[in-house]
Amino acid sequence: ALELCAIPRVGMPSASSTDLIKKLGIYCREIGVRIIYAGDNDRAGNMLRETLDQTTFYRVCQPPDPYKDWCEFLAGCSDDLSEAIEIVQNYCMKEL
């Protein structure tokens, strides 16, 4: 959904890959890369954030309640795809 909305992003491994998340967080902290967490509002997303908490500082831009993920937000904010994309883009830019 973020790709469709032309929001710059990097995919991260799932929360089950805590070792990879820790290494990514440490690497980003060491070279000065700022992370903006934009994951799902669910248990796996919470686990990923808890792992990042152990390694680096980051900002958060998650889909608003009651949406679990960006696809739900995109689909639920408008029946018109162009309008939905604009709503998601505006939400992300406002949050960042």
Side-chain angles (χ1 to χ4, degrees):
L2 292 178
E3 180 177 354
L4 181 64
C5 296
I7 303 294
R9 76 255 159 248
V10 173
M12 297 178 70
S14 72
S16 63
S17 304
T18 56
D19 190 48
L20 292 174
I21 299 299
K22 286 179 185 176
K23 288 177 183 176
L24 176 67
I26 291 167
Y27 176 77
C28 289
R29 184 186 68 225
E30 288 176 351
I31 66 167
V33 171
R34 290 184 276 167
I35 295 174
I36 301 170
Y37 176 78
D40 294 348
N41 290 319
D42 60 10
R43 184 176 175 271
N46 291 338
M47 289 174 56
L48 193 143
R49 285 185 64 187
E50 289 169 8
T51 301
L52 279 176
D53 287 343
Q54 299 170 21
T55 60
T56 193
F57 297 102
Y58 60 94
R59 294 174 65 190
V60 176
C61 180
Q62 290 180 273
D65 287 333
Y67 304 106
K68 179 185 105 35
D69 59 32
W70 292 104
C71 289
E72 279 187 11
F73 181 35
L74 180 65
C77 61
S78 176
D79 290 334
D80 177 83
L81 181 58
S82 296
E83 183 179 355
I85 289 170
E86 185 176 347
I87 290 169
V88 172
Q89 289 172 335
N90 289 338
Y91 175 80
C92 289
M93 294 307 132
K94 179 187 76 147
E95 290 297 309
L96 303 175

Coordinates of all heavy atoms in Angstrom, one line a residue:
A1 N 0.8 -1.2 0.0 CA 0.0 0.0 0.0 C 0.9 1.3 0.0 O 0.6 2.2 -0.7 CB -0.9 0.0 1.2
L2 N 2.0 1.3 0.8 CA 2.8 2.4 0.8 C 3.5 2.6 -0.5 O 3.7 3.8 -1.0 CB 3.9 2.3 1.9 CG 3.3 2.4 3.4 CD1 4.4 2.2 4.4 CD2 2.5 3.7 3.6
E3 N 3.8 1.5 -1.2 CA 4.4 1.6 -2.5 C 3.5 2.3 -3.5 O 3.8 3.2 -4.3 CB 4.9 0.3 -3.0 CG 5.5 0.3 -4.4 CD 6.0 -1.0 -4.9 OE1 5.9 -2.0 -4.1 OE2 6.4 -1.1 -6.1
L4 N 2.2 1.8 -3.5 CA 1.2 2.4 -4.3 C 1.0 3.9 -4.1 O 0.7 4.7 -5.0 CB -0.2 1.7 -4.1 CG -1.3 2.1 -5.0 CD1 -1.1 1.8 -6.4 CD2 -2.6 1.4 -4.5
C5 N 1.2 4.3 -2.8 CA 1.1 5.7 -2.5 C 2.3 6.5 -2.6 O 2.4 7.7 -2.3 CB 0.6 5.8 -1.0 SG -1.1 5.1 -0.8
A6 N 3.4 5.9 -3.2 CA 4.7 6.5 -3.4 C 5.3 7.1 -2.2 O 5.9 8.1 -2.2 CB 4.5 7.6 -4.5
I7 N 5.1 6.3 -1.1 CA 5.8 6.7 0.2 C 7.1 6.0 0.3 O 7.1 4.7 0.2 CB 4.9 6.3 1.4 CG1 3.5 6.9 1.3 CG2 5.6 6.6 2.7 CD1 3.5 8.4 1.4
P8 N 8.2 6.7 0.4 CA 9.5 6.0 0.5 C 9.5 5.1 1.7 O 9.0 5.4 2.8 CB 10.5 7.2 0.8 CG 9.8 8.4 0.3 CD 8.3 8.1 0.5
R9 N 10.1 3.8 1.5 CA 10.1 2.9 2.6 C 11.1 1.8 2.3 O 11.6 1.6 1.2 CB 8.7 2.2 2.8 CG 8.4 1.2 1.7 CD 7.4 1.7 0.7 NE 7.4 1.0 -0.6 CZ 7.9 1.5 -1.7 NH1 8.3 2.7 -1.8 NH2 7.9 0.8 -2.8
V10 N 11.4 1.1 3.4 CA 12.3 -0.1 3.3 C 11.5 -1.2 4.0 O 11.1 -1.0 5.2 CB 13.6 0.1 4.0 CG1 14.4 -1.1 4.0 CG2 14.4 1.2 3.2
G11 N 11.4 -2.3 3.4 CA 10.7 -3.5 4.1 C 11.7 -4.1 5.1 O 12.9 -4.2 4.9
M12 N 11.1 -4.5 6.2 CA 11.9 -5.1 7.3 C 11.4 -6.5 7.5 O 10.3 -6.8 7.3 CB 11.8 -4.3 8.6 CG 12.3 -2.9 8.4 SD 12.1 -1.9 9.9 CE 13.3 -2.7 11.0
P13 N 12.3 -7.4 7.9 CA 11.9 -8.8 8.2 C 10.9 -8.8 9.3 O 10.7 -7.8 10.1 CB 13.2 -9.5 8.6 CG 14.1 -8.4 9.0 CD 13.7 -7.1 8.3
S14 N 10.2 -9.9 9.4 CA 9.1 -10.0 10.4 C 9.6 -10.0 11.8 O 10.8 -10.2 12.0 CB 8.3 -11.3 10.1 OG 9.1 -12.4 10.5
A15 N 8.7 -9.8 12.7 CA 9.1 -9.7 14.1 C 9.7 -11.1 14.6 O 10.4 -11.1 15.6 CB 7.8 -9.4 15.0
S16 N 9.5 -12.1 13.9 CA 10.0 -13.4 14.3 C 11.6 -13.4 14.1 O 12.3 -14.3 14.6 CB 9.4 -14.6 13.5 OG 9.6 -14.4 12.2
S17 N 12.1 -12.5 13.3 CA 13.5 -12.4 13.0 C 14.2 -11.3 13.9 O 14.8 -10.4 13.4 CB 13.7 -12.0 11.6 OG 13.1 -13.0 10.7
T18 N 14.0 -11.5 15.2 CA 14.5 -10.5 16.2 C 16.0 -10.2 16.0 O 16.4 -9.1 16.2 CB 14.2 -10.8 17.6 OG1 14.7 -12.1 17.9 CG2 12.7 -10.9 17.8
D19 N 16.8 -11.2 15.7 CA 18.2 -11.0 15.5 C 18.5 -10.1 14.4 O 19.4 -9.2 14.5 CB 18.9 -12.4 15.3 CG 20.5 -12.2 15.4 OD1 20.9 -11.6 16.4 OD2 21.1 -12.8 14.5
L20 N 17.8 -10.2 13.3 CA 18.0 -9.3 12.1 C 17.6 -7.9 12.5 O 18.2 -7.0 12.1 CB 17.2 -9.9 10.9 CG 17.7 -11.2 10.3 CD1 16.8 -11.6 9.2 CD2 19.1 -11.0 9.8
I21 N 16.5 -7.8 13.2 CA 16.0 -6.5 13.6 C 17.0 -5.8 14.5 O 17.3 -4.6 14.3 CB 14.6 -6.6 14.3 CG1 13.5 -7.2 13.3 CG2 14.1 -5.2 14.8 CD1 13.3 -6.4 12.1
K22 N 17.5 -6.5 15.4 CA 18.5 -5.9 16.3 C 19.7 -5.4 15.5 O 20.2 -4.3 15.7 CB 19.0 -6.9 17.4 CG 18.0 -7.2 18.5 CD 18.5 -8.2 19.5 CE 17.4 -8.5 20.5 NZ 17.8 -9.6 21.4
K23 N 20.2 -6.3 14.6 CA 21.4 -5.9 13.8 C 21.1 -4.7 13.0 O 21.9 -3.8 12.8 CB 21.8 -7.1 12.9 CG 22.5 -8.2 13.7 CD 22.8 -9.4 12.8 CE 23.4 -10.5 13.6 NZ 23.7 -11.7 12.8
L24 N 19.9 -4.6 12.4 CA 19.5 -3.5 11.6 C 19.5 -2.2 12.4 O 20.0 -1.2 12.0 CB 18.1 -3.7 10.9 CG 17.6 -2.5 10.1 CD1 18.5 -2.2 8.9 CD2 16.2 -2.7 9.7
G25 N 18.9 -2.3 13.6 CA 18.8 -1.2 14.5 C 20.2 -0.7 14.9 O 20.4 0.5 14.9
I26 N 21.1 -1.6 15.3 CA 22.4 -1.2 15.6 C 23.1 -0.6 14.4 O 23.8 0.5 14.6 CB 23.2 -2.4 16.1 CG1 22.6 -2.9 17.5 CG2 24.7 -2.2 16.3 CD1 23.1 -4.3 17.9
Y27 N 23.0 -1.2 13.3 CA 23.7 -0.6 12.1 C 23.2 0.8 11.8 O 24.0 1.7 11.5 CB 23.4 -1.5 10.9 CG 23.9 -1.0 9.6 CD1 25.2 -1.1 9.3 CD2 23.0 -0.5 8.6 CE1 25.7 -0.6 8.0 CE2 23.5 0.0 7.4 CZ 24.9 -0.1 7.1 OH 25.3 0.4 5.9
C28 N 21.9 1.0 11.8 CA 21.3 2.3 11.5 C 21.8 3.3 12.6 O 22.1 4.5 12.2 CB 19.8 2.2 11.5 SG 19.1 1.4 10.1
R29 N 21.8 3.0 13.8 CA 22.3 3.9 14.9 C 23.8 4.2 14.6 O 24.2 5.4 14.7 CB 22.2 3.2 16.2 CG 22.5 4.2 17.4 CD 22.5 3.5 18.7 NE 23.6 2.5 18.8 CZ 23.5 1.3 19.3 NH1 22.3 0.9 19.7 NH2 24.5 0.5 19.3
E30 N 24.6 3.2 14.3 CA 26.0 3.5 14.1 C 26.3 4.4 12.9 O 27.3 5.2 12.9 CB 26.8 2.1 13.9 CG 26.9 1.4 15.2 CD 27.5 0.0 15.1 OE1 27.7 -0.4 13.9 OE2 27.7 -0.6 16.1
I31 N 25.6 4.3 11.8 CA 25.9 5.1 10.6 C 25.0 6.3 10.5 O 25.1 7.1 9.6 CB 25.8 4.3 9.3 CG1 24.4 3.8 9.0 CG2 26.8 3.1 9.4 CD1 24.3 3.2 7.6
G32 N 24.1 6.5 11.5 CA 23.3 7.7 11.5 C 22.0 7.7 10.6 O 21.5 8.7 10.3
V33 N 21.5 6.5 10.3 CA 20.3 6.4 9.5 C 19.1 6.5 10.5 O 19.1 5.8 11.5 CB 20.2 5.1 8.8 CG1 18.8 4.9 8.2 CG2 21.3 5.0 7.7
R34 N 18.2 7.4 10.2 CA 17.0 7.6 11.0 C 15.9 6.7 10.6 O 15.6 6.7 9.4 CB 16.5 9.0 11.0 CG 17.5 9.9 11.8 CD 17.0 11.3 11.8 NE 17.4 12.0 10.6 CZ 16.9 13.1 10.2 NH1 16.0 13.8 10.9 NH2 17.3 13.7 9.0
I35 N 15.3 5.9 11.5 CA 14.3 5.0 11.2 C 12.9 5.6 11.5 O 12.8 6.2 12.6 CB 14.4 3.7 12.0 CG1 15.7 2.9 11.5 CG2 13.2 2.8 11.8 CD1 16.0 1.7 12.3
I36 N 12.0 5.4 10.6 CA 10.6 5.8 10.9 C 9.8 4.5 10.8 O 9.7 3.9 9.7 CB 10.0 6.8 9.9 CG1 10.9 8.1 10.0 CG2 8.5 7.1 10.3 CD1 10.6 9.1 8.9
Y37 N 9.3 4.0 12.0 CA 8.6 2.7 12.0 C 7.2 2.9 11.5 O 6.5 3.8 12.0 CB 8.6 2.2 13.4 CG 7.8 0.9 13.5 CD1 8.3 -0.3 13.1 CD2 6.5 0.9 14.0 CE1 7.5 -1.4 13.1 CE2 5.7 -0.2 14.0 CZ 6.2 -1.4 13.6 OH 5.5 -2.5 13.6
A38 N 6.8 2.1 10.5 CA 5.5 2.3 9.9 C 4.8 0.9 9.8 O 4.1 0.6 8.8 CB 5.6 2.9 8.5
G39 N 5.0 0.1 10.8 CA 4.5 -1.3 10.7 C 3.1 -1.4 11.1 O 2.4 -0.4 11.4
D40 N 2.6 -2.6 11.2 CA 1.2 -2.9 11.5 C 0.9 -2.7 12.9 O 1.7 -2.8 13.8 CB 0.9 -4.4 11.2 CG 1.0 -4.7 9.7 OD1 1.1 -3.8 8.9 OD2 1.0 -5.9 9.3
N41 N -0.4 -2.4 13.2 CA -0.9 -2.3 14.5 C -1.4 -3.6 15.0 O -2.6 -3.9 15.1 CB -2.1 -1.3 14.5 CG -1.7 0.1 14.3 OD1 -0.7 0.6 14.8 ND2 -2.4 0.8 13.5
D42 N -0.5 -4.5 15.3 CA -0.8 -5.9 15.7 C 0.3 -6.4 16.6 O 1.3 -5.7 16.9 CB -1.1 -6.8 14.6 CG 0.0 -7.0 13.6 OD1 1.1 -6.6 13.9 OD2 -0.2 -7.6 12.6
R43 N 0.1 -7.7 17.1 CA 1.1 -8.3 18.0 C 2.5 -8.3 17.4 O 3.5 -8.0 18.0 CB 0.6 -9.7 18.4 CG 1.5 -10.3 19.4 CD 0.9 -11.7 19.8 NE 1.8 -12.4 20.7 CZ 2.8 -13.2 20.3 NH1 2.9 -13.4 19.0 NH2 3.6 -13.8 21.2
A44 N 2.5 -8.8 16.1 CA 3.8 -8.9 15.4 C 4.5 -7.5 15.3 O 5.7 -7.4 15.5 CB 3.7 -9.5 14.1
G45 N 3.7 -6.5 15.0 CA 4.2 -5.1 14.9 C 4.8 -4.6 16.2 O 5.8 -4.0 16.3
N46 N 4.0 -5.0 17.3 CA 4.5 -4.6 18.6 C 5.8 -5.3 19.0 O 6.7 -4.7 19.6 CB 3.4 -4.9 19.7 CG 2.2 -4.0 19.5 OD1 2.3 -2.9 19.0 ND2 1.1 -4.4 20.0
M47 N 5.9 -6.5 18.6 CA 7.2 -7.3 18.9 C 8.3 -6.6 18.1 O 9.4 -6.5 18.7 CB 7.0 -8.7 18.5 CG 6.1 -9.5 19.4 SD 5.8 -11.2 18.8 CE 7.5 -11.9 18.7
L48 N 8.1 -6.2 16.9 CA 9.2 -5.6 16.1 C 9.6 -4.2 16.8 O 10.8 -4.0 17.0 CB 8.7 -5.3 14.7 CG 9.8 -4.9 13.7 CD1 9.5 -5.6 12.4 CD2 9.8 -3.5 13.6
R49 N 8.6 -3.5 17.3 CA 9.0 -2.2 17.9 C 9.7 -2.4 19.2 O 10.6 -1.7 19.5 CB 7.7 -1.4 18.2 CG 7.2 -0.7 17.0 CD 6.0 0.1 17.2 NE 6.4 1.3 18.1 CZ 5.5 2.1 18.6 NH1 4.2 2.0 18.3 NH2 5.9 3.1 19.3
E50 N 9.3 -3.5 20.0 CA 10.0 -3.8 21.2 C 11.5 -4.1 20.9 O 12.4 -3.8 21.7 CB 9.3 -4.9 21.9 CG 8.0 -4.5 22.6 CD 7.2 -5.7 23.0 OE1 7.7 -6.9 23.1 OE2 6.0 -5.5 23.4
T51 N 11.7 -4.8 19.8 CA 13.1 -5.2 19.5 C 13.9 -3.9 19.0 O 15.0 -3.8 19.4 CB 13.1 -6.2 18.3 OG1 12.4 -7.4 18.8 CG2 14.5 -6.6 17.9
L52 N 13.3 -3.1 18.3 CA 13.9 -1.8 17.9 C 14.2 -1.0 19.1 O 15.3 -0.3 19.2 CB 13.1 -1.0 16.9 CG 13.1 -1.4 15.5 CD1 12.1 -0.6 14.7 CD2 14.5 -1.3 14.9
D53 N 13.3 -1.0 20.1 CA 13.5 -0.2 21.4 C 14.9 -0.6 22.0 O 15.5 0.3 22.7 CB 12.4 -0.5 22.4 CG 11.1 0.1 22.0 OD1 11.1 1.1 21.1 OD2 10.1 -0.3 22.6
Q54 N 15.3 -1.8 21.8 CA 16.6 -2.3 22.5 C 17.8 -1.8 21.8 O 18.9 -1.9 22.3 CB 16.6 -3.8 22.5 CG 15.5 -4.4 23.2 CD 15.4 -5.9 23.0 OE1 16.4 -6.6 22.6 NE2 14.3 -6.5 23.3
T55 N 17.7 -1.3 20.5 CA 18.9 -1.0 19.7 C 19.0 0.5 19.2 O 20.1 0.9 19.0 CB 18.9 -1.9 18.5 OG1 17.8 -1.7 17.7 CG2 19.0 -3.4 18.9
T56 N 17.9 1.2 19.0 CA 18.0 2.5 18.4 C 16.8 3.3 18.7 O 15.8 2.8 19.2 CB 18.2 2.3 16.9 OG1 18.6 3.6 16.3 CG2 16.9 1.9 16.2
F57 N 16.9 4.6 18.4 CA 15.8 5.5 18.5 C 15.1 5.6 17.2 O 15.8 5.5 16.2 CB 16.3 6.9 18.9 CG 16.9 7.0 20.3 CD1 18.3 7.0 20.4 CD2 16.2 6.9 21.4 CE1 18.9 7.0 21.7 CE2 16.7 7.0 22.7 CZ 18.1 7.0 22.8
Y58 N 13.8 5.8 17.2 CA 13.1 5.9 15.9 C 11.8 6.6 16.1 O 11.4 6.8 17.2 CB 12.8 4.5 15.4 CG 12.0 3.6 16.3 CD1 10.6 3.5 16.2 CD2 12.6 2.9 17.4 CE1 9.9 2.8 17.1 CE2 11.9 2.1 18.2 CZ 10.5 2.1 18.1 OH 9.8 1.3 19.0
R59 N 11.3 7.1 15.0 CA 10.0 7.7 15.0 C 8.9 6.7 14.6 O 9.2 5.7 14.0 CB 10.0 9.0 14.1 CG 10.9 10.0 14.6 CD 11.1 11.2 13.7 NE 9.8 11.9 13.5 CZ 9.6 12.8 12.6 NH1 10.6 13.1 11.8 NH2 8.5 13.4 12.5
V60 N 7.7 7.1 14.8 CA 6.6 6.2 14.5 C 5.6 6.9 13.6 O 5.2 8.0 13.9 CB 5.9 5.6 15.8 CG1 4.7 4.8 15.4 CG2 6.9 4.9 16.6
C61 N 5.1 6.2 12.6 CA 4.0 6.6 11.7 C 3.3 5.3 11.3 O 3.6 4.7 10.3 CB 4.5 7.3 10.5 SG 3.2 7.9 9.4
Q62 N 2.3 5.0 12.1 CA 1.5 3.8 11.9 C 0.1 4.2 11.4 O -0.3 5.3 11.6 CB 1.4 2.9 13.2 CG 2.7 2.3 13.6 CD 2.5 1.5 14.8 OE1 2.6 2.0 15.9 NE2 2.2 0.2 14.7
P63 N -0.6 3.2 10.7 CA -1.9 3.5 10.3 C -2.8 3.9 11.5 O -2.6 3.4 12.6 CB -2.4 2.2 9.7 CG -1.2 1.4 9.5 CD -0.2 1.9 10.5
P64 N -3.7 4.9 11.3 CA -4.5 5.3 12.4 C -5.5 4.2 12.8 O -5.9 3.3 12.0 CB -5.3 6.5 11.8 CG -5.3 6.3 10.4 CD -4.1 5.5 10.0
D65 N -6.0 4.3 14.1 CA -7.0 3.4 14.5 C -8.3 3.7 13.7 O -8.5 4.8 13.3 CB -7.4 3.7 16.0 CG -6.3 3.1 16.9 OD1 -5.6 2.2 16.5 OD2 -6.1 3.7 18.0
P66 N -9.0 2.7 13.4 CA -9.0 1.3 13.8 C -8.3 0.4 12.8 O -8.4 -0.8 12.9 CB -10.5 1.0 13.8 CG -11.1 1.7 12.6 CD -10.3 3.0 12.6
Y67 N -7.5 0.9 11.9 CA -6.9 0.1 10.9 C -5.7 -0.7 11.4 O -4.8 -0.1 12.1 CB -6.5 1.0 9.7 CG -7.6 1.8 9.1 CD1 -7.7 3.2 9.4 CD2 -8.6 1.2 8.4 CE1 -8.8 3.9 8.9 CE2 -9.7 1.9 7.9 CZ -9.8 3.2 8.1 OH -10.8 3.9 7.6
K68 N -5.6 -2.0 11.0 CA -4.5 -2.8 11.4 C -3.3 -2.6 10.6 O -2.1 -2.6 11.1 CB -4.9 -4.3 11.3 CG -3.8 -5.3 11.7 CD -4.2 -6.7 11.4 CE -3.6 -7.4 10.2 NZ -2.4 -7.2 9.7
D69 N -3.4 -2.3 9.3 CA -2.3 -2.1 8.5 C -2.6 -1.0 7.4 O -3.7 -0.5 7.3 CB -1.8 -3.4 7.8 CG -2.9 -4.1 7.0 OD1 -3.7 -3.4 6.4 OD2 -2.9 -5.3 7.0
W70 N -1.6 -0.8 6.6 CA -1.7 0.3 5.5 C -2.7 -0.1 4.5 O -3.4 0.8 3.9 CB -0.3 0.6 4.9 CG 0.5 1.3 5.9 CD1 1.6 0.7 6.6 CD2 0.4 2.6 6.4 NE1 2.1 1.6 7.5 CE2 1.4 2.8 7.4 CE3 -0.4 3.7 6.1 CZ2 1.6 4.0 8.0 CZ3 -0.2 4.9 6.7 CH2 0.8 5.1 7.7
C71 N -2.8 -1.4 4.2 CA -3.8 -1.8 3.1 C -5.2 -1.6 3.6 O -6.0 -1.1 2.8 CB -3.6 -3.3 2.8 SG -2.1 -3.6 1.9
E72 N -5.5 -1.9 4.9 CA -6.8 -1.6 5.4 C -7.1 -0.1 5.4 O -8.2 0.3 5.1 CB -6.9 -2.1 6.9 CG -7.2 -3.6 7.0 CD -7.5 -4.0 8.4 OE1 -7.7 -3.1 9.3 OE2 -7.5 -5.2 8.7
F73 N -6.1 0.7 5.8 CA -6.3 2.1 5.8 C -6.6 2.6 4.4 O -7.5 3.4 4.1 CB -5.1 2.8 6.4 CG -5.1 4.3 6.4 CD1 -6.3 5.0 6.7 CD2 -4.0 5.1 6.3 CE1 -6.4 6.4 6.8 CE2 -4.0 6.5 6.4 CZ -5.2 7.1 6.6
L74 N -5.8 2.2 3.4 CA -6.0 2.6 2.0 C -7.3 2.2 1.5 O -8.0 3.0 0.9 CB -4.9 2.0 1.1 CG -4.9 2.3 -0.4 CD1 -4.7 3.8 -0.6 CD2 -3.9 1.5 -1.1
A75 N -7.7 1.0 1.8 CA -9.0 0.5 1.3 C -10.2 1.2 2.1 O -11.3 1.3 1.5 CB -9.1 -1.0 1.5
G76 N -10.0 1.5 3.3 CA -11.1 2.0 4.1 C -11.3 3.5 4.1 O -12.3 4.0 4.6
C77 N -10.3 4.3 3.6 CA -10.5 5.7 3.8 C -11.2 6.4 2.6 O -11.7 7.5 2.8 CB -9.1 6.4 3.9 SG -7.9 6.2 2.6
S78 N -11.4 5.7 1.5 CA -12.2 6.2 0.4 C -12.5 5.1 -0.6 O -11.7 4.2 -0.8 CB -11.5 7.4 -0.3 OG -12.2 7.8 -1.4
D79 N -13.6 5.2 -1.3 CA -14.0 4.3 -2.4 C -13.2 4.6 -3.6 O -13.1 3.8 -4.5 CB -15.5 4.3 -2.6 CG -16.2 3.6 -1.5 OD1 -15.7 2.8 -0.8 OD2 -17.4 3.9 -1.3
D80 N -12.8 5.9 -3.7 CA -12.1 6.3 -4.9 C -10.6 6.2 -4.7 O -10.0 6.7 -3.7 CB -12.4 7.8 -5.1 CG -11.6 8.4 -6.3 OD1 -12.0 8.2 -7.4 OD2 -10.6 9.0 -6.0
L81 N -9.9 5.4 -5.5 CA -8.5 5.0 -5.3 C -7.6 6.3 -5.3 O -6.7 6.4 -4.4 CB -8.0 4.0 -6.3 CG -6.5 3.6 -6.2 CD1 -6.3 3.0 -4.8 CD2 -6.1 2.7 -7.3
S82 N -7.8 7.2 -6.2 CA -7.0 8.4 -6.2 C -7.1 9.2 -4.9 O -6.2 9.7 -4.4 CB -7.4 9.3 -7.4 OG -7.1 8.6 -8.6
E83 N -8.4 9.3 -4.5 CA -8.6 10.0 -3.2 C -8.0 9.3 -2.0 O -7.4 9.9 -1.1 CB -10.1 10.2 -3.0 CG -10.5 11.0 -1.8 CD -12.0 11.2 -1.6 OE1 -12.7 10.8 -2.5 OE2 -12.3 11.8 -0.6
A84 N -8.1 8.0 -2.0 CA -7.5 7.2 -0.9 C -6.0 7.3 -0.9 O -5.4 7.5 0.2 CB -7.9 5.7 -1.1
I85 N -5.4 7.3 -2.0 CA -3.9 7.5 -2.1 C -3.6 8.9 -1.5 O -2.6 9.0 -0.7 CB -3.4 7.3 -3.6 CG1 -3.5 5.9 -4.0 CG2 -2.0 7.9 -3.7 CD1 -3.2 5.6 -5.4
E86 N -4.3 9.9 -1.9 CA -4.0 11.2 -1.4 C -4.2 11.3 0.1 O -3.4 12.0 0.8 CB -4.9 12.3 -2.1 CG -4.6 13.7 -1.7 CD -5.4 14.7 -2.5 OE1 -6.1 14.3 -3.5 OE2 -5.4 15.9 -2.1
I87 N -5.2 10.7 0.6 CA -5.5 10.6 2.1 C -4.3 10.0 2.8 O -3.8 10.5 3.8 CB -6.8 9.9 2.4 CG1 -8.0 10.8 1.9 CG2 -6.9 9.6 3.9 CD1 -9.3 10.1 1.9
V88 N -3.8 8.8 2.3 CA -2.7 8.2 2.9 C -1.5 9.0 2.8 O -0.7 9.2 3.8 CB -2.5 6.8 2.3 CG1 -1.2 6.1 2.8 CG2 -3.7 5.8 2.6
Q89 N -1.2 9.6 1.7 CA 0.0 10.5 1.5 C -0.1 11.6 2.5 O 0.9 11.9 3.2 CB 0.1 11.0 0.1 CG 0.5 10.0 -0.9 CD 0.4 10.5 -2.3 OE1 -0.4 11.4 -2.6 NE2 1.1 9.8 -3.2
N90 N -1.2 12.3 2.6 CA -1.4 13.4 3.5 C -1.2 13.0 5.0 O -0.6 13.7 5.8 CB -2.7 14.1 3.3 CG -2.8 14.9 2.0 OD1 -1.7 15.3 1.4 ND2 -4.0 15.1 1.5
Y91 N -1.7 11.9 5.3 CA -1.6 11.3 6.7 C -0.1 11.1 7.0 O 0.4 11.5 8.1 CB -2.4 10.0 6.9 CG -2.2 9.4 8.2 CD1 -2.9 9.9 9.3 CD2 -1.3 8.4 8.4 CE1 -2.7 9.3 10.6 CE2 -1.1 7.8 9.6 CZ -1.8 8.3 10.7 OH -1.6 7.7 11.9
C92 N 0.6 10.5 6.1 CA 2.0 10.2 6.4 C 2.8 11.5 6.5 O 3.7 11.6 7.4 CB 2.6 9.3 5.3 SG 2.0 7.6 5.3
M93 N 2.6 12.4 5.6 CA 3.4 13.6 5.6 C 3.0 14.4 6.9 O 3.9 15.1 7.5 CB 3.1 14.5 4.4 CG 3.6 13.8 3.1 SD 5.3 13.4 3.2 CE 5.3 11.7 2.6
K94 N 1.8 14.4 7.3 CA 1.4 15.1 8.5 C 2.1 14.5 9.7 O 2.6 15.2 10.6 CB -0.1 15.1 8.7 CG -0.6 15.8 10.0 CD -2.1 15.6 10.2 CE -2.2 14.2 10.7 NZ -3.2 13.7 11.5
E95 N 2.2 13.2 9.8 CA 2.8 12.5 10.9 C 4.3 12.6 10.9 O 4.9 12.6 12.0 CB 2.4 11.0 10.8 CG 1.0 10.7 11.1 CD 0.5 11.1 12.5 OE1 1.2 10.7 13.5 OE2 -0.5 11.8 12.7
L96 N 4.9 12.9 9.8 CA 6.3 13.0 9.7 C 6.8 14.4 9.8 O 7.8 14.7 10.1 CB 6.9 12.3 8.5 CG 6.5 10.8 8.4 CD1 6.9 10.2 7.0 CD2 7.1 10.0 9.5

